[in-house]
Amino acid sequence: MSLAMETNAPSNGGVKQPQEPAETHIHDIMSHDASKGAIVHSFDPDALPQQKAAAAGRQRDQLESIVQQDGSAHGGKELSIGGASVPAITIENADEPTNEERQKLGSVTPSAAIPGEYPSGLAPAIPDWYKVGWRAVANIDAPPLEEGEEKDNHILQLFLAEQYYGQWYHNAALIFFAVFASHFLTRFNFGLGWLIVLLSICNTYYVTSMTRVRRCARDDIQRELIKTRLASEHESADWMNNFLDRFWLIYEPVLSATVVASVDQILSTTTPAFLDSLRLTTFTLGTKAPHIDKVRTFPRTADDIVMMDWGISFTPNDTSDMTPRQAAQKVNPKIVLSVRLGKGPATASIPVLLEDITFSGMMRIKLKLIANFPHVQIVDISFLEKPVIDYVLKPVGGESLGFDIAHIPGLQTFIRDMVHGTLGPMMYDPNVFTLNLEQLLSGVPLDTSIGVIQVTVEAARGLKATKIGGGSPDPYVSISINNREELARTKYKPSTYNPTWIETKFILVNSLQESLVLSLLDYNDHRKDTPLGAATFELEKLLEDATQEGLELPVLKDGKDKGMIRLDVNYFPVLKPESVNGKENLSQTNVGIVRLTIHQAKELDASQSLSGDLNPLVKVFLGNSTSYTHKSQIIKHTNNPIWESPTEFICADKSSLIITIKVVDERDFFRDPVVGYMSVRLVDLLQTDPALNREWWPLSGCKSGKIRLSCEWKPLQMAGALSSADQYVPPIGIVRLWLRKATDVKNVEAALGGKSDPYVRVLVNNVTLGRTEVINNNLNPEWDQIIYIPVHSLRESMFMEVMDYQHLTKDRSLGSVELRVSDIARESPADAQHRYEPTGTKEVAEPIKTDGNSYKGQLHYRAEFVSALNLKHVHFDAGENEIQKAAQKVQRNHANGSSSNTHISSRDEEERHVTVDHPTTEAGTHGSPHQTDSSESIQANGNGAANTDEEVSSPTEEDSAKEGIRLSKEELLKHQSGIIIFNAIGGHLHKKARLDVLLDDAYWPAFSTLKSRGTNAQWAHVGEGFLKELDFGRVWLRLNESGDFDKDDVIAEWKGDAKAFLDATLDRRSTFTLTHADGHSSTVEIETRYVPVPVKLLARESINNQGILRVYLLAGKDLRSADRTGTSDPFAVFTLNGTKVFTSQTKKKNLNPDWSEIFEVNVPSREAADFSLEVFDWNQLEQSKSLGRGTINLHDIEPFEAAEQMIELSSEKHGAKGHVAIRLIFQPEIIAKSRKATSTFSSAGRAMTQIGSLPFGAGKGVVRGIGNVFKREFGGSHEKLDVPHAIPEAAAGQASRPIGEPTADEDTNVTATSAFLSLNRTPSLLGPPSEPGTLRVTMISAKDVSMVDTKPYAVIRVGDKEFKTKHGIKTSSPEWNESFNFAASAHIPKLHLWIYDHKTLGKDKLLAEGEVDIWRHIQVGQSTAAEVTVELQGGGLARLRLEFDAENNPLARHASVVSLERSQLQTSSSRFSIRGRRPGFNEDN
C-alpha cells in the first residue's frame, strides 16, 4: 500500500517547478500499486486526523479477505432499515444521531471486520471429544462402567491400596533405577563422567520430589489451620472498603437515578385521591460508601454452598476515618419528597425531608453455586440481629425550618418497631430474603409462571373452634403461598365442625421452592373473620410426584392440633420448547397460560375530559365475563400513558377465547367513562410481530387512539394437551416410502478420521414418524427399507432428514429432503369410499439440502400414496380437561341452587388465578359454554377440528356422501392392512414413565406419550401406527422411564396379537397389565379405532419372509481331500449375511462325515438372505483350508414343512467337489430389531415368539386360533385382558435339553414339528426359586474357541462366586469335565463364562466369553437338570451341565470343587494374571 506524500511548502513558482516531477513520480507509484489490487488512500493535507480516518473508512468496503468466502460463512452484516418495517421508538435510541449527522461528523459504520476484533457471530462449537475443564478431565459426568469393568477397576484399586500405600515407591524406584543404571554403565565400561551425570539426575529428581512433598504438607497444614480460624474469628475487609470508597463516587449517581426512576413510577400509581402528585425531587446517598466492618466465613459447608457473616455499616456522618479535605467535601444522604396538594392551578408543594441516615447490622449471606452462567444461582440474605437504624425526618418546614419528628416522645420508637415488624418476616433470622440471580439475569420476568397447581379442597374434619358468643363456626379455606396475599378461597359452610367443600382452584406458581398454605377461617358478618388454624403443603413434593391425591394434613394453630383437612394437589408444568433442526419449536396445544403485557397507548381520545388530560387505566376481560381479570395502574394527567403492566391467566381453549381490553378514564367521585376498547381473538393476538408493526391495535368506540400489546403462549402439560381426542384429525391414507440409498452424504466425522453413520428419519409436523436402520461408517449407505407414514391432509409435508447417529451425544443432521403429499395425491370426486387417490409413483434421486442453500449428496427414494377407506365417525369422545371439568361442575352447582349460601370475596374479580366461579373457556360471542359448542362442531365436522370461523351449515347430500361409510367390527377386522389409532387414556403405574407403542418388527415406537407426572398417569394421547398384516401382526406396549424420546429405559412391557388387541379395544376401553422385571405390575387404559388401507405388500414385507430357521446338518459326501494321507478333517461353517452363525464339530480323517447337528438362526428376510455353507479342513499348525462353498436357497421353503437339500460344494481353484446334506424347517416369526452399542441396528435381533408361554405362528400351517391365547372375552368397557405375565426373551445363541431326553443323534425319527417345539423351552409358571439352592455346574467342553491351539481354561462366575478349571495341553477343543457348586436363586439370573489362554509369562489372553440364562434351562417343578450349549462371543461353542437342588442350601458351607476324572484341589492362578485374584475368592475353596 502506498502512502500519499504531502508538503506544506509555499506555492510560489520557484518551488512549484521542482515539485511537479515529484508529484508525477508519486502518482505513478500510486497507480502501479493500485493496478496490483492495493487500496491507495489520499488525504487533504489540511484535514484533521478524524477526517482522515473517516476518509480511510469509506474505502474499507473495497478490502477483500484473503479467505475464500461463500454464502454459508458466518459473520455480521449491516441491516438496512426501510420499506414497511418501522422500528419501535424507544428511549435508548431517541438521542442517537441520524445517518446525515453521522456523515457530517465523518463517522461511517464499518462494513468489514477489523483484524483482531471480537467476532460478531457465534463462536464455533467445541467438539464433543474435547476435554475442557476439570469435570471432563476427571470423568465425573462419564457413564458408569459395566459390571465386569467396574469389578476389575475395583480390584485394581484394592490391590494398589493394599500393596502400594503412599508414595514411597517413587523413591524406591529411583534407587532401583540408579543401581541398575550405574551397573549398566560400569558393565559396558563407561567413564566416570557418565556416573556423575547419572548421580546429578537422580539428585535433582530427589531434591525436587522432597521439596514438593514438603510444600504440599505445609500447604495442607496451613489450610486446616485457616479453616479453623475462619469459622471462629472475624477478619477485616480493608481492601474491599478501599475499593468501595473509590467506586462509590462513580456508581452513586447511577444508583440514585435508578432508584428515582423506579420509585417515581410507583408513587404516581399510588397517589391518594386528595393529592395531586408525589415526586422525589432530591435523592442522594452521599459521598461516603457503605463499609464492611468484619467478615466471618464458614468453610465446612457443601461444595456448592458459600456462607459468610458480614458486619456492614453505613455511617455518612462519621468523619473520624476521613481526611480534612474529604470531610470538607463530604455530602450527606438527602431525600426530598415533594407532596403537591390541590387540583389544577390551585396547587402547592410541601417538601418532606429525610437526611442523616445511618445503618449498621450483622448480615448472613448464603450463595448457591451452579456450573452454568451466572454461576451463582440463589443468594439468601438475612439479618442475624435487628439492625440499628437512625435518621432525621422533617415532614414540614424543609431544611431550614423543619422539625425533626424524632423529638416527639414515643414516635421514633413507634416507627422503628413498625420497620422491624415489616422487615422481620422478610429477612430477620431464621427468615431469609432470596434472590434468584439465574432468573434475574436470564431475561425471564420474575413473576412469570412455571406451571399451574390444581388444588381440590374436599373437606375438613374435627375442627376445634367456637364462635364468640357460642355456636358452631362457619369455616372456609383461604389459599396462599407462604402466607402472603390470598390467591383463592372457598365458599363458607354454615354452622359445622365437619365442612365439605369439594371445590377446585387453579393457581399460577412461579416457584416450587415455597409452601402452599391453606388457612381455615370462621366467617363473620360484621367483624373480621376469625382464624381457626392453617395447614401447610411443601410444593417441592410435586417434583417427585406431580399428582398428590388423598392428602390429609393437620390443621395447626399455635402448635396445637385443631383438626384435619383433606385435599388433592396436581401440578401441570409448562412445556418447554423442543429443538428441531437447530430451531426451538413450541408445542401446539389448546390449553396453556397466556402472558399478556399492556405496554402503552397513544393519542387517546380526551374529548370527554374538560381539562383535556386523562387519568387512564386498563381493564382486561375474558370471554363474555362481566368482571375484569386484570386492572393496570393509573397514569395521571397524560393522553399517552405507558403502563408496562403484565398479567397471566389460564386458557382452557385457545381457539375460542376472546380478550376484551378497555381503556378507562379514572375519575375520583364520578363514574369512570370508557375511553376506548378493543376485542380480539387470542389466536390473532398471539401472532403479533413487532417487525411487521402488528403490536399496535386501534381502539374502537373513540375518535382516536391505539394501544400496544404483546402476548406469549405457554403450553401446559395437561392430559391431552398435545395430541388429545378433540384435536385429532383422521388419516386420509398412507405414504409408502421406499428409502433405497444415499450417495455422497456429508461427512461430519472427517476431523476424527472416520465417516458418518447415516440413517433417515421421516418427520411430519416436527414429529418423527419413521426411521431407517443405521449404516455404520459409510458415506454411500444403502438402506433398501420401506416405511409407511400416515397422512391427514394434502397440505402436509414430509421431511426425510438424513442423520448421523451418535452413541453418546445427540445425533447430527446431514441434510433433508422435502416431499409434499400434494405431489403424489389428489382429491377423488367420483369414489365415495376413497376421497383421495394417488397421482402416480414418485421415484427420484433428490439432492440433500444442508444448512442454508447448499446441497451435499443425493437421496434415492420411491414414494407412493395409498388412500384409506372413508369411514364415518373416526374419532374419540373428547373429554374435558381439568379446567373445563371444574367450570362445568360449578355451573351445575349454580344450576342446582347451591349458591344461595355463598360468600364471595370482594377480591375474587381481581385474582390472578382461574377459579371455577369465572370460567375462561366461554366464547365471547356465544352465551353457552364452549364445551357444548366444541362437541357440536366435532360431531358436525366428523373430525377433531372445531369450527370457530363460520357457522356449521346443514349437511347436504353431497356432504353426507363425503362423510363416509359405516363398517361393523367384523367387517373392519376382515381388512388385513390399515392404520390403528390409539387413545392412550391413562393408567396406574408403579413408576413414572411414558408409554411406547410398537407394531410388528419396528424398533422405534409408532408413537410415545409424554412422561407421566405421577404414578396415576393421565395421558389422553392419540397416536397412530400402520399394521401390514392384521392376522399376524403384534402390538407391543412398553413403559419407558426415560424422559428423552431418543433413549430407552424400559421398565415394563406387554405383548399381544394385533387382531385380539383390536377386538378388545375397538369399541370400548380396555385395561392392560404390564409386568415389571422386579415382579411389580402397572396397568394402562387404551381405546382404539381402525382405518383400513388396501396395501399390496411385496413378498419381502410379509410375515412369512422372516422367522426362525432350524437347520439340520446331516452329513457330507465325497469331500475333497486336503491332507497328504488322502483324507480331511472337515468342519462346516454357516454364514448369514456375512455373519458366522454356526460352526460344526470337526470329524477327523473322514471324507464322508456324519455330523447330525442342529442349530437355529433368526432370519430377518428370506428374500434378501445370503445364507451359505463352507466346509473347512482343520489343521493343527496352520490356518484351516476351505474345501468348498455352497449357497442355500431359502426362497421356496414352505413354513413348517421339512425340506431337505443337497448343497454342492465348489471352489474357484478346484471347482465342484463334494456335497453336504441338510434339512431346513422355517417357522415364520416377527424378528424385533435391536440396536447394538456400536451405533448400528442389527436386523437379526430377537424373535418375538411368545405371548405368555405360547409361541406365535404365521403362514402355511399356522397355529389356528391365535385369539384363543386370550382366555376370556373382553366384556365391559373397562375389563382387563387375561394375559399371562411377560417373560424375558429367549437369549440368542443358547440351546438346551433336559437330562434324559433323546438327542437328535439318538432319535432321528423325531418329526420336524415336535423337534421344533421341544427346543422352544419356556420357564415354568412357578418361576425361579426365591430361596437359595445348590446349583452344580459341570464345565464339559468347548470347541473352536481359537483358530490355533492354545492352553485354554474356563472361568465360571455365578453371583459373587467364581471358579476356574485346569488348563491342559494345547488344543482348540478342550474337555474339562469339572464341576463346581454355587448358591443360586431368583436374584441371580445369569451364569457368566470366560475362556482364557494360559500364559506362563504375561497376562492370560481372553479367547471367548458368554453368559447363560440359568432359569430358562432349569425349571423348578419340571426339570432340575439340563445340558446347555452356548455360543460364545469371539467364536466357538461351550457345553455345560446344570443341576439344581432346591432342598440343599450351600450358604452354610463352602462350595466344593469336584473333578470327574480325578479329585484335585483347584490350582492357583497365574502370578501374572490380574483376574486370578478377585474379591471374595478364597484359596481354601
Side-chain angles (χ1 to χ4, degrees), residues 1242-1255:
S1242 173
S1243 296
R1246 304 185 306 275
M1248 297 173 57
T1249 57
Q1250 291 149 352
I1251 296 181
S1253 58
L1254 296 181

Side-chain angles (χ1 to χ4, degrees), residues 1338-1341 1366 1375-1379 1441 1458-1461:
T1338 301
M1339 189 66 205
I1340 301 175
S1341 63
K1366 302 181 299 297
E1375 294 184 1
W1376 295 287
N1377 291 322
E1378 297 185 36
S1379 299
R1441 183 183 296 115
V1458 182
S1459 173
L1460 297 182
E1461 296 180 351

Side-chain angles (χ1 to χ4, degrees), residues 426-441:
M426 293 175 55
M427 53 193 318
Y428 287 1
D429 190 65
N431 303 317
V432 295
F433 182 76
T434 301
L435 290 176
N436 192 333
L437 294 185
E438 183 183 23
Q439 188 177 20
L440 283 171
L441 300 179

